[in-house]
Amino acid sequence: MEARNAGQAAFGVVAECDARAALDRILADSQFHATERHRKLLRYLVDEFFAGRSGQVKAYTIAIDVFGRPASFDPATDPIVRVEASRLRAALTQYYETVGEKVGLRIELPKGNYVPHFVASDRSPAPAEVATAPAETASVPEQPVAVAPVADQPKRRPFGPIAAAVAGVAAMAGAFYLSVVERLPWQPVLSAKPTIVIDVAAAGGAGGEEQRKAGDYLVHALSQFSAVRTLAQVPAAGVDVASVTGWVASAPPVKLQGSKEYRLSVAYSADVHEHQVSWQVVDTQSNEALRAGTAKAALDSGDARTVQERLLARLARSLAGEEGVIVSLEAARQLVTPSIGYGCVLLADVALARLDAEGLASAHACLEKSVTYRAADPDVLASLAMVLVATGEASTSPTVAARAVKLADRAVALAPQSSQSYLAQMQARFVSGDTEAAFLSGRRAAALNPLDDAIPARLGLLLFVSGQYSEGASLARVAEMGCEYLHRDAALTLALEEYRNGKYREALTRARQLANPADTAVNLLRMAAAGQLGLTREATSALDGLRWSKSGSPRSIESELAARGYAPDLIALLDDGLGKAGIRLAALH
C-alpha cells in the first residue's frame, strides 16, 4: 500500500480540488498546444495519481488504457508511450513559458516516471513534494517511486568558514559556466535559410551569351522563392557569405549555425531545334554531388526567349519550391541536427503539406521558441501565423485569430517583397473574416512570385470555398498546368468544382487521391460524392476516418466549415450528398 500511494504521499500538501482545477484550466486554455492524445494522457496520469495508483503506472498500462493498444503490446519494440510522454512534457513546458506566472499551480511531468508533479508558480518544489526516479531509458523498466516522508527540519546554526568555502566554490563554478556556456550541447542552435551559389559554365561565342542569359534569369527566378538565398557567383576568397546574404546574429546567447551553402552548377545549350539545361547541386563543404538532372524543351512550343524562361522557371521550382530539392535536403538535415529558426519553418512546411496534427503541434512549439530569439524574423513570424490557422485555433478563438493577423502583418512589414509573408497574411485575414483584404494579400503574393504554383493553389481554394467559384477554379487550373506535382489545395478545388458540376465520379476519384484521415474537407467531399453515387460502404469508410481524426472536437463539422469561410450554398451541396449516404452534416463532430 505504501508503494502504491507513494506518489500521493509526496504531494499531501496539494489539495485534490486545486490540482484538478489546474488540470481543467490548462486543458481548456487555447494556449496549451497539445494534441487530443496528449490531453487524454495528462488527464489519465492525474486521475491515477489521485486514485493512489501512480506507482503502478507503466508504459504498458498507458499503452492499453490511453492509446488503445492490444494486450500483446510490447514497450520494448513500440516506443509510442515514451515518445508521446516526451511530447507532452514539451507541450507543458511551452505552455508555462507562454503564460508565465499567471497560473497558481503548475503541472509538471519529470523524466523517468509517469508521476505528475504539482508545483506552486511562486516557488520551487520542496524536497517532500518531488517524486524522484531513475532516468527514463528504453531498456530499464519503471520502478515504483520511493519518497522520503515529510519531517520537521531542525534549526541550523551558522557555520561561517563552511559558508565562505561554499560561496567560493559557487563563484568559481559560475565563472566556469560563463566561460563555456556558448559551447554547451543544450544551448539552442539557431539556423538560417540555405544559400544557393549559381555557377554557370563559361563558353565562348554565341554559346557564351546563352549561358550568361540563362544564369541571369536563373538568379532572378530563384530569388523570388523565400525558402532560399541566392548568390549569382562564387564569392571571392575572404568574403563572409553570411554577411553577403543578409544573415545577422541574434542578441540572445545562442549557438549559431549559419546559412548552409549549396553550389548549383548549370550548363545551358541551345540550337535551332531545342534548348537543354543540365544541373548539379553540390555541397560546398564536402564537395559531394547531391542531386543532378537534365531538362529539354523544343523550340516549336514558342520563341527562344520564352522557351528558355519556361525551362529555367521549372528548374527554379524544382529546386526551391515547396517540394524542391534544396528544401528537401534541408528538411532531412533538420531531422539529423534539430535547430530553431529556419529549422522550425521547415518542420511547419512539412506538417502543413501533410496536415499532420502532431507535426503541427511540434512545429508550433518550435516556432514559439524561435520567436523568443528572433522576434524580427519574417519567415518565422509568417510560418507561425500559418500554423495557427492550420491547427484550427484561429477559427475557434478570436484572440488567436487576431494574433495570427498581427504576426502576418509584422512579417509583411519586415519583408515587403516576400510572397510567403503575404500568403500568411492572406490566410490569417481570411480566417478572421476579412475576406476582401485576404484576397488582396493573395494577389500581392502571386504578383511577387508568379513562378510559385503554391500561391494560386492556396488563393484559388479560398476564393472557391467563399463562393467565387469561377475565379477559384481558374487559379487551380493555372497551378495544375504549371507544376509537376499538383498542390493539395489546387487538387481539392478542382475536386469541389467537379462535385459542384455534378461530376461525382470525377470528384470522388480526385478525393481518393487526396485521402488523408486528418483532412476534414477531403473526407467530407469523399463522403458526399460517394453518397451521390450510392456507394454507401465508401461513405462509411470515410466517415470512420473523419470521426477518428475529429474525436473530442467540441463543435460540429458544419460549424467548422462555416468558420473556415465555406459559402452556405457549398455547405448545402455537400450536405445533400451526405444525406443520400444516410449522414447528416449537422450531427457530425
PDB file of all heavy atoms in Angstrom, residues 472-484:
ATOM      1  N   GLY A 472     -11.792  30.924 -58.555  1.00  0.00           N
ATOM      2  CA  GLY A 472     -11.061  29.928 -57.773  1.00  0.00           C
ATOM      3  C   GLY A 472     -10.657  28.735 -58.609  1.00  0.00           C
ATOM      4  O   GLY A 472      -9.509  28.275 -58.554  1.00  0.00           O
ATOM      5  N   ALA A 473     -11.581  28.211 -59.415  1.00  0.00           N
ATOM      6  CA  ALA A 473     -11.265  27.069 -60.269  1.00  0.00           C
ATOM      7  C   ALA A 473     -10.241  27.435 -61.333  1.00  0.00           C
ATOM      8  O   ALA A 473      -9.374  26.628 -61.684  1.00  0.00           O
ATOM      9  CB  ALA A 473     -12.540  26.541 -60.918  1.00  0.00           C
ATOM     10  N   SER A 474     -10.327  28.652 -61.849  1.00  0.00           N
ATOM     11  CA  SER A 474      -9.370  29.103 -62.859  1.00  0.00           C
ATOM     12  C   SER A 474      -7.946  29.121 -62.307  1.00  0.00           C
ATOM     13  O   SER A 474      -7.001  28.678 -62.967  1.00  0.00           O
ATOM     14  CB  SER A 474      -9.759  30.498 -63.356  1.00  0.00           C
ATOM     15  OG  SER A 474      -8.824  30.981 -64.284  1.00  0.00           O
ATOM     16  N   LEU A 475      -7.777  29.619 -61.084  1.00  0.00           N
ATOM     17  CA  LEU A 475      -6.450  29.640 -60.471  1.00  0.00           C
ATOM     18  C   LEU A 475      -5.946  28.227 -60.191  1.00  0.00           C
ATOM     19  O   LEU A 475      -4.747  27.948 -60.331  1.00  0.00           O
ATOM     20  CB  LEU A 475      -6.488  30.448 -59.176  1.00  0.00           C
ATOM     21  CG  LEU A 475      -6.556  31.963 -59.332  1.00  0.00           C
ATOM     22  CD1 LEU A 475      -6.770  32.642 -57.986  1.00  0.00           C
ATOM     23  CD2 LEU A 475      -5.283  32.502 -59.983  1.00  0.00           C
ATOM     24  N   ALA A 476      -6.848  27.333 -59.818  1.00  0.00           N
ATOM     25  CA  ALA A 476      -6.436  25.947 -59.580  1.00  0.00           C
ATOM     26  C   ALA A 476      -5.923  25.310 -60.866  1.00  0.00           C
ATOM     27  O   ALA A 476      -4.955  24.541 -60.849  1.00  0.00           O
ATOM     28  CB  ALA A 476      -7.608  25.139 -59.019  1.00  0.00           C
ATOM     29  N   ARG A 477      -6.559  25.630 -61.993  1.00  0.00           N
ATOM     30  CA  ARG A 477      -6.094  25.081 -63.275  1.00  0.00           C
ATOM     31  C   ARG A 477      -4.743  25.674 -63.664  1.00  0.00           C
ATOM     32  O   ARG A 477      -3.910  24.991 -64.266  1.00  0.00           O
ATOM     33  CB  ARG A 477      -7.129  25.359 -64.362  1.00  0.00           C
ATOM     34  CG  ARG A 477      -8.435  24.598 -64.150  1.00  0.00           C
ATOM     35  CD  ARG A 477      -9.366  24.725 -65.339  1.00  0.00           C
ATOM     36  NE  ARG A 477     -10.677  24.164 -65.034  1.00  0.00           N
ATOM     37  CZ  ARG A 477     -11.712  24.878 -64.619  1.00  0.00           C
ATOM     38  NH1 ARG A 477     -11.602  26.199 -64.483  1.00  0.00           N
ATOM     39  NH2 ARG A 477     -12.859  24.294 -64.338  1.00  0.00           N
ATOM     40  N   VAL A 478      -4.517  26.937 -63.321  1.00  0.00           N
ATOM     41  CA  VAL A 478      -3.199  27.547 -63.567  1.00  0.00           C
ATOM     42  C   VAL A 478      -2.129  26.774 -62.797  1.00  0.00           C
ATOM     43  O   VAL A 478      -1.056  26.463 -63.336  1.00  0.00           O
ATOM     44  CB  VAL A 478      -3.204  29.032 -63.143  1.00  0.00           C
ATOM     45  CG1 VAL A 478      -1.780  29.588 -63.133  1.00  0.00           C
ATOM     46  CG2 VAL A 478      -4.078  29.844 -64.092  1.00  0.00           C
ATOM     47  N   ALA A 479      -2.425  26.463 -61.534  1.00  0.00           N
ATOM     48  CA  ALA A 479      -1.472  25.697 -60.727  1.00  0.00           C
ATOM     49  C   ALA A 479      -1.281  24.292 -61.289  1.00  0.00           C
ATOM     50  O   ALA A 479      -0.173  23.754 -61.275  1.00  0.00           O
ATOM     51  CB  ALA A 479      -1.961  25.625 -59.282  1.00  0.00           C
ATOM     52  N   GLU A 480      -2.344  23.696 -61.803  1.00  0.00           N
ATOM     53  CA  GLU A 480      -2.265  22.345 -62.356  1.00  0.00           C
ATOM     54  C   GLU A 480      -1.388  22.309 -63.594  1.00  0.00           C
ATOM     55  O   GLU A 480      -0.608  21.376 -63.794  1.00  0.00           O
ATOM     56  CB  GLU A 480      -3.669  21.841 -62.689  1.00  0.00           C
ATOM     57  CG  GLU A 480      -3.700  20.407 -63.184  1.00  0.00           C
ATOM     58  CD  GLU A 480      -5.109  19.935 -63.498  1.00  0.00           C
ATOM     59  OE1 GLU A 480      -5.908  20.760 -64.006  1.00  0.00           O
ATOM     60  OE2 GLU A 480      -5.412  18.769 -63.246  1.00  0.00           O
ATOM     61  N   MET A 481      -1.466  23.350 -64.414  1.00  0.00           N
ATOM     62  CA  MET A 481      -0.692  23.386 -65.654  1.00  0.00           C
ATOM     63  C   MET A 481       0.790  23.634 -65.395  1.00  0.00           C
ATOM     64  O   MET A 481       1.651  23.149 -66.122  1.00  0.00           O
ATOM     65  CB  MET A 481      -1.219  24.502 -66.561  1.00  0.00           C
ATOM     66  CG  MET A 481      -2.594  24.210 -67.156  1.00  0.00           C
ATOM     67  SD  MET A 481      -3.304  25.688 -67.937  1.00  0.00           S
ATOM     68  CE  MET A 481      -1.948  26.204 -68.976  1.00  0.00           C
ATOM     69  N   GLY A 482       1.102  24.374 -64.321  1.00  0.00           N
ATOM     70  CA  GLY A 482       2.476  24.822 -64.147  1.00  0.00           C
ATOM     71  C   GLY A 482       3.368  23.928 -63.328  1.00  0.00           C
ATOM     72  O   GLY A 482       4.565  24.163 -63.269  1.00  0.00           O
ATOM     73  N   CYS A 483       2.818  22.916 -62.637  1.00  0.00           N
ATOM     74  CA  CYS A 483       3.666  22.146 -61.730  1.00  0.00           C
ATOM     75  C   CYS A 483       3.645  20.654 -62.071  1.00  0.00           C
ATOM     76  O   CYS A 483       2.711  20.142 -62.670  1.00  0.00           O
ATOM     77  CB  CYS A 483       3.225  22.351 -60.287  1.00  0.00           C
ATOM     78  SG  CYS A 483       1.572  21.741 -59.922  1.00  0.00           S
ATOM     79  N   GLU A 484       4.724  20.013 -61.642  1.00  0.00           N
ATOM     80  CA  GLU A 484       4.851  18.576 -61.884  1.00  0.00           C
ATOM     81  C   GLU A 484       3.960  17.785 -60.940  1.00  0.00           C
ATOM     82  O   GLU A 484       3.374  16.776 -61.304  1.00  0.00           O
ATOM     83  CB  GLU A 484       6.320  18.171 -61.705  1.00  0.00           C
ATOM     84  CG  GLU A 484       6.617  16.742 -62.099  1.00  0.00           C
ATOM     85  CD  GLU A 484       8.094  16.430 -62.041  1.00  0.00           C
ATOM     86  OE1 GLU A 484       8.891  17.375 -61.830  1.00  0.00           O
ATOM     87  OE2 GLU A 484       8.453  15.246 -62.192  1.00  0.00           O
TER      88      GLU A 484
END
